Amino acid sequence: GQSHLGQMASAFFVCLLLLQTTVGHAVAAFTNGPAYVEYDRAATQVGLCLREHTDPTARIAYTWAGAMPYYADRFGIDLLGKMDAYIAKAKPQIGFEPGHNKWDYAYSIDAHRPDIVLQLFRAKPGDHAMIAGRGYDPVARTWPCLANTFLTPEDVFVRRK
């Protein structure tokens, strides 16, 4: 009856939405290439650079956890907190952007004491000074293998010994 027709119409519209989304991504990938390919290449380069220039026991904090920690083969700390219960339960810093809307740099640095802090997501005025005040120095691309990546000179901090 009427409810069966409504269910079928709803299912039809869900299928259309999924098809449009899938086809849209496929067309974009075909015409523009897969999303983030250049960033993934650069992240791989950064990870290999970190492996080359850090001790195997180094603890590295990232905002883009993925290729960088994988290729660095070092202990990774996810600054966006997807794997940190404290950050996961924290209030969002920005609107609805799942996986990219919660962070607390002061907490993450104090609680996990990374040897290297790599990248800040949507840094606010004072974030870099806060990190420096906790015993970190910017390395300002002193490693040539970080050149020609998406990192800016203020994106890499090393803990003072």
mmCIF file of all heavy atoms in Angstrom, residues 32 51 59 81 92 108 115 123 127 130 141 156 159:
data_model
loop_
_atom_site.group_PDB
_atom_site.id
_atom_site.type_symbol
_atom_site.label_atom_id
_atom_site.label_comp_id
_atom_site.label_asym_id
_atom_site.label_seq_id
_atom_site.Cartn_x
_atom_site.Cartn_y
_atom_site.Cartn_z
ATOM 1 N N ASN A 32 40.756 14.770 -12.982
ATOM 2 C CA ASN A 32 41.753 15.515 -12.209
ATOM 3 C C ASN A 32 42.813 14.623 -11.574
ATOM 4 O O ASN A 32 43.738 15.131 -10.956
ATOM 5 C CB ASN A 32 41.071 16.305 -11.082
ATOM 6 C CG ASN A 32 40.016 17.231 -11.604
ATOM 7 O OD1 ASN A 32 40.161 17.810 -12.663
ATOM 8 N ND2 ASN A 32 38.932 17.364 -10.847
ATOM 9 N N ARG A 51 62.492 9.200 9.064
ATOM 10 C CA ARG A 51 63.168 7.936 9.348
ATOM 11 C C ARG A 51 64.686 8.117 9.259
ATOM 12 O O ARG A 51 65.434 7.595 10.073
ATOM 13 C CB ARG A 51 62.720 6.844 8.392
ATOM 14 C CG ARG A 51 63.367 5.497 8.755
ATOM 15 C CD ARG A 51 63.142 4.416 7.759
ATOM 16 N NE ARG A 51 61.734 4.150 7.537
ATOM 17 C CZ ARG A 51 61.288 3.179 6.763
ATOM 18 N NH1 ARG A 51 62.132 2.381 6.141
ATOM 19 N NH2 ARG A 51 60.009 2.998 6.585
ATOM 20 N N ARG A 59 59.461 9.934 19.162
ATOM 21 C CA ARG A 59 58.004 10.078 19.236
ATOM 22 C C ARG A 59 57.658 11.336 18.459
ATOM 23 O O ARG A 59 58.122 12.423 18.795
ATOM 24 C CB ARG A 59 57.562 10.189 20.693
ATOM 25 C CG ARG A 59 57.924 8.950 21.512
ATOM 26 C CD ARG A 59 57.782 9.189 23.012
ATOM 27 N NE ARG A 59 56.497 9.695 23.406
ATOM 28 C CZ ARG A 59 55.404 8.962 23.635
ATOM 29 N NH1 ARG A 59 55.465 7.656 23.518
ATOM 30 N NH2 ARG A 59 54.270 9.517 24.000
ATOM 31 N N GLY A 81 43.672 13.810 17.543
ATOM 32 C CA GLY A 81 43.059 13.037 18.591
ATOM 33 C C GLY A 81 42.109 11.928 18.229
ATOM 34 O O GLY A 81 41.339 11.486 19.062
ATOM 35 N N PRO A 92 34.505 20.383 20.065
ATOM 36 C CA PRO A 92 35.078 20.735 18.759
ATOM 37 C C PRO A 92 35.604 22.171 18.733
ATOM 38 O O PRO A 92 35.013 23.067 19.319
ATOM 39 C CB PRO A 92 33.907 20.564 17.791
ATOM 40 C CG PRO A 92 32.962 19.632 18.489
ATOM 41 C CD PRO A 92 33.120 19.932 19.956
ATOM 42 N N SER A 108 48.214 17.719 24.261
ATOM 43 C CA SER A 108 48.928 16.653 23.547
ATOM 44 C C SER A 108 50.434 16.729 23.779
ATOM 45 O O SER A 108 51.094 15.704 23.969
ATOM 46 C CB SER A 108 48.630 16.711 22.051
ATOM 47 O OG SER A 108 47.266 16.435 21.819
ATOM 48 N N ASP A 115 59.061 14.031 20.636
ATOM 49 C CA ASP A 115 60.390 14.560 20.323
ATOM 50 C C ASP A 115 60.293 15.590 19.204
ATOM 51 O O ASP A 115 61.088 16.526 19.149
ATOM 52 C CB ASP A 115 61.327 13.422 19.906
ATOM 53 C CG ASP A 115 61.517 12.420 21.033
ATOM 54 O OD1 ASP A 115 61.990 12.824 22.101
ATOM 55 O OD2 ASP A 115 61.139 11.247 20.839
ATOM 56 N N ALA A 123 46.466 26.521 12.895
ATOM 57 C CA ALA A 123 47.145 27.143 14.033
ATOM 58 C C ALA A 123 46.557 28.511 14.336
ATOM 59 O O ALA A 123 46.231 29.274 13.429
ATOM 60 C CB ALA A 123 48.631 27.257 13.740
ATOM 61 N N ASP A 127 49.946 29.716 19.070
ATOM 62 C CA ASP A 127 50.212 28.270 19.141
ATOM 63 C C ASP A 127 51.703 27.963 19.008
ATOM 64 O O ASP A 127 52.245 27.136 19.749
ATOM 65 C CB ASP A 127 49.437 27.507 18.060
ATOM 66 C CG ASP A 127 47.972 27.305 18.411
ATOM 67 O OD1 ASP A 127 47.594 27.496 19.585
ATOM 68 O OD2 ASP A 127 47.208 26.956 17.494
ATOM 69 N N MET A 130 53.464 28.951 22.130
ATOM 70 C CA MET A 130 53.136 28.002 23.196
ATOM 71 C C MET A 130 54.018 26.770 23.094
ATOM 72 O O MET A 130 54.540 26.275 24.083
ATOM 73 C CB MET A 130 51.650 27.631 23.112
ATOM 74 C CG MET A 130 51.180 26.588 24.111
ATOM 75 S SD MET A 130 51.407 24.857 23.595
ATOM 76 C CE MET A 130 50.426 24.769 22.124
ATOM 77 N N ARG A 141 63.287 23.797 8.464
ATOM 78 C CA ARG A 141 63.750 23.060 7.280
ATOM 79 C C ARG A 141 65.264 22.875 7.225
ATOM 80 O O ARG A 141 65.883 23.052 6.188
ATOM 81 C CB ARG A 141 63.269 23.730 6.008
ATOM 82 C CG ARG A 141 61.779 23.649 5.853
ATOM 83 C CD ARG A 141 61.427 23.969 4.440
ATOM 84 N NE ARG A 141 59.983 24.052 4.363
ATOM 85 C CZ ARG A 141 59.304 23.907 3.266
ATOM 86 N NH1 ARG A 141 59.903 23.691 2.150
ATOM 87 N NH2 ARG A 141 58.008 23.985 3.262
ATOM 88 N N VAL A 156 57.748 22.558 11.830
ATOM 89 C CA VAL A 156 58.534 21.465 12.410
ATOM 90 C C VAL A 156 59.253 21.960 13.667
ATOM 91 O O VAL A 156 60.071 22.876 13.596
ATOM 92 C CB VAL A 156 59.568 20.913 11.401
ATOM 93 C CG1 VAL A 156 60.298 19.710 11.994
ATOM 94 C CG2 VAL A 156 58.891 20.544 10.090
ATOM 95 N N ARG A 159 62.130 18.947 20.176
ATOM 96 C CA ARG A 159 62.249 19.169 21.628
ATOM 97 C C ARG A 159 63.709 19.394 22.000
ATOM 98 O O ARG A 159 64.583 18.661 21.556
ATOM 99 C CB ARG A 159 61.674 17.981 22.388
ATOM 100 C CG ARG A 159 61.623 18.198 23.893
ATOM 101 C CD ARG A 159 60.740 17.205 24.595
ATOM 102 N NE ARG A 159 60.855 15.877 24.076
ATOM 103 C CZ ARG A 159 61.086 14.805 24.809
ATOM 104 N NH1 ARG A 159 61.230 14.903 26.112
ATOM 105 N NH2 ARG A 159 61.169 13.620 24.258
#
